Amino acid sequence: MTYLQRKRRILILGGGYAGLIAAARSARAGSAEITLVNARPEFVQRIRLHEALAGSSPRTLALAPALARRGVRFVQGFVEQLQPDRQRVVGRDSAGNRLELGYDELIVALGSRTAAPTPDVAAHTVRLDDQAAAQAASEQIRQVARRGGRVLIVGAGLTGIETAAELAERFPTLRVGLTTNGRIGEGYSAEGEHYLRQRLARLGIEVWEQTPITGVEQGHAWTASGTVLPFDMCVWCGGFEAPPLAREAGLQVDSDGRVVVDAVLRAVDQPNIFAVGDAAAITVGGKTIRMACASALPMGGHVGDNIRRLLRGAELKPFDLGFAARCISLGRRDGLVQWTTLDDTARPKIWTQRRAVYSKELICRATYTIVAQELRLGIPLYHWVGSGKAQGEIGQAAGRAQEISA
């Protein structure tokens, strides 16, 4: 079979929000051979891993049958090397055998992981990157709570705040501490910042602001000033970084290891490689889009649509994204919706308590439903607002719900 006779090979690395919606949309072309590689056999809702740590069992989606509905081949394995010059990736399948896959177009959707700046952090802390690990650590949380022990959360971004609130509410006997290099609620409105502080205080969470952690060993963390913070468990939420594969392959990346992409989400130095979600660094309206589910789904959907355009010889469209709000769960009985401008700048308006809880839960459920239903039906159900369009209200439609940051 000659090159002209065979189908074009689309290879997708990563089965998270961005990778799955890219697969669903690419498959609508019906004229390509699409393969998706993921280390786990199921789609995990990363935005619910703090709930898993507290003992819940978030719903997952089996990848092989879901992808098969759209004619997408699933390979469970670990990619160890990108070889752009040979248009292939190399790694190991789930049985440990050598895995080698070629491509005509590659979509890097490998997401991100919690950065561990030192080996001590990796050895002595829990990081919320894997549902199985989070659920395994939940038993230790219960044991610590029974004896009134301490859990230290390092990092007060969205993940850190949600984790602290979830644990403090679920386990009233647990002594929960939260440290941050900056201050609580940075980038939120004055009302939003005040409400976050108020809620954390009501939950009895001890907060250390402007307190960088410089060292960790079993049972203790050290601050930059030399203060020792004891713990029975430490949960590290100190920011995200992309896997090193792109950097090791010689692709241009930013300081977080994300592939630097052009307006259509192609790597600036490899036109047959696309990057989406937390694996991609793109600037819209003068701001680099943050790592979030709220940006992963739009990027994955956009690249999937562009793959269809590419296959029919049409011009690729540039990516655009506008935000509406940021949502934070503050336990099961409270939350915060911080409304924003389209460029993600906080507005004065906030929602709290029951209205925020319902909105946050709607969004979390919508992320799963959108992915599952696009794979099941093969219809583009998800839509997002561009940076120059009007904002929508929470809950008007499942697709619009994801305009709000999870």
Side-chain angles (χ1 to χ4, degrees):
M1 182 178 288
T2 68
Y3 176 84
L4 294 176
Q5 292 172 319
R6 67 168 171 80
K7 288 185 175 181
R8 204 164 183 86
R9 299 168 299 168
I10 310 299
L11 180 60
I12 303 171
L13 305 183
Y17 300 103
L20 289 182
I21 200 167
R25 301 241 173 151
S26 298
R28 294 182 65 232
S31 57
E33 177 186 290
I34 304 173
T35 301
L36 185 143
V37 182
N38 196 60
R40 293 182 294 266
E42 70 280 323
F43 164 60
V44 171
Q45 299 181 75
R46 187 175 185 181
I47 56 176
R48 290 193 185 272
L49 290 184
H50 63 287
E51 298 176 33
L53 181 64
S56 298
S57 298
R59 190 179 181 186
T60 60
L61 178 70
L63 291 179
L67 291 165
R69 286 179 178 270
R70 303 271 60 83
V72 177
R73 175 190 175 206
F74 172 62
V75 175
Q76 185 180 351
F78 301 83
V79 175
E80 299 171 334
Q81 189 179 30
L82 309 183
Q83 297 180 349
D85 56 331
R86 304 183 68 176
Q87 292 189 205
R88 72 175 186 180
V89 303
V90 176
R92 299 285 171 182
D93 65 18
S94 57
N97 301 314
R98 179 178 171 83
L99 178 67
E100 185 176 312
L101 297 168
Y103 62 84
D104 296 304
E105 272 73 40
L106 175 67
I107 301 175
V108 179
L110 290 169
S112 62
R113 63 189 184 186
T114 305
T118 67
D120 288 344
V121 168
H124 301 300
T125 69
V126 174
R127 290 175 287 167
L128 298 180
D129 293 328
D130 177 80
Q131 184 161 322
Q135 289 176 319
S138 70
E139 178 55 35
Q140 184 183 350
I141 288 283
R142 290 188 185 92
Q143 294 174 7
V144 172
R146 289 189 195 106
R147 60 178 186 267
R150 299 175 181 272
V151 170
L152 179 66
I153 317 269
V154 178
L158 185 145
T159 303
I161 290 173
E162 290 193 329
T163 301
E166 192 80 23
L167 294 179
E169 183 187 82
R170 189 78 64 94
F171 304 103
T173 59
L174 197 62
R175 289 179 288 174
V176 179
L178 179 65
T179 72
T180 175
N181 292 351
R183 71 173 196 276
I184 298 294
E186 281 187 286
Y188 288 73
S189 66
E191 293 86 349
E193 181 178 333
H194 175 73
Y195 195 82
L196 284 175
R197 293 174 181 277
Q198 186 181 60
R199 175 59 175 165
L200 296 176
R202 285 201 306 269
L203 289 168
I205 297 169
E206 188 172 5
V207 175
W208 294 274
E209 297 182 89
Q210 297 178 332
T211 306
I213 298 299
T214 57
V216 180
E217 70 174 26
Q218 186 62 42
H220 297 85
W222 282 270
T223 71
S225 64
T227 302
V228 177
L229 301 178
F231 61 77
D232 296 287
M233 175 185 282
C234 181
V235 184
W236 191 271
C237 304
F240 298 126
E241 63 181 5
L245 289 173
R247 178 184 284 112
E248 291 168 354
L251 299 181
Q252 185 175 334
V253 299
D254 71 356
S255 59
D256 294 317
R258 296 182 292 178
V259 178
V260 179
V261 296
D262 63 16
V264 299
L265 299 179
R266 286 183 302 201
V268 293
D269 46 3
Q270 289 288 338
N272 63 340
I273 296 179
F274 295 82
V276 292
D278 288 1
I282 185 170
T283 300
V284 173
K287 287 188 175 183
T288 300
I289 292 177
R290 56 188 165 89
M291 296 181 183
C293 177
S295 51
L297 277 168
M299 280 195 258
H302 185 81
V303 163
D305 291 338
N306 263 347
I307 289 293
R308 292 178 62 233
R309 295 185 185 103
L310 184 151
L311 291 172
R312 66 174 184 262
E315 183 178 356
L316 304 188
K317 289 187 177 181
F319 176 68
D320 193 20
L321 175 64
F323 292 91
R326 302 174 214 150
C327 258
I328 304 180
S329 66
L330 298 172
R332 297 298 89 201
R333 296 187 291 272
D334 203 353
L336 171 68
V337 175
Q338 171 66 70
W339 292 90
T340 71
T341 59
L342 289 169
D343 70 354
D344 204 28
T345 300
R347 295 165 53 195
K349 180 181 178 181
I350 62 172
W351 284 359
T352 61
Q353 299 181 350
R354 182 178 298 179
R355 186 161 53 169
V357 170
Y358 288 163
S359 300
K360 172 70 173 182
E361 183 60 24
L362 169 67
I363 293 161
C364 290
R365 293 187 184 189
T367 60
Y368 180 93
T369 301
I370 286 164
V371 168
Q373 292 301 315
E374 287 219 8
L375 287 170
R376 186 172 75 87
L377 301 174
I379 300 172
L381 302 172
Y382 175 64
H383 304 279
W384 60 93
V385 168
S387 60
K389 300 179 181 178
Q391 297 183 57
E393 293 294 319
I394 289 181
Q396 289 195 352
R400 296 292 296 279
Q402 258 316 110
E403 294 156 19
I404 301 167
S405 170

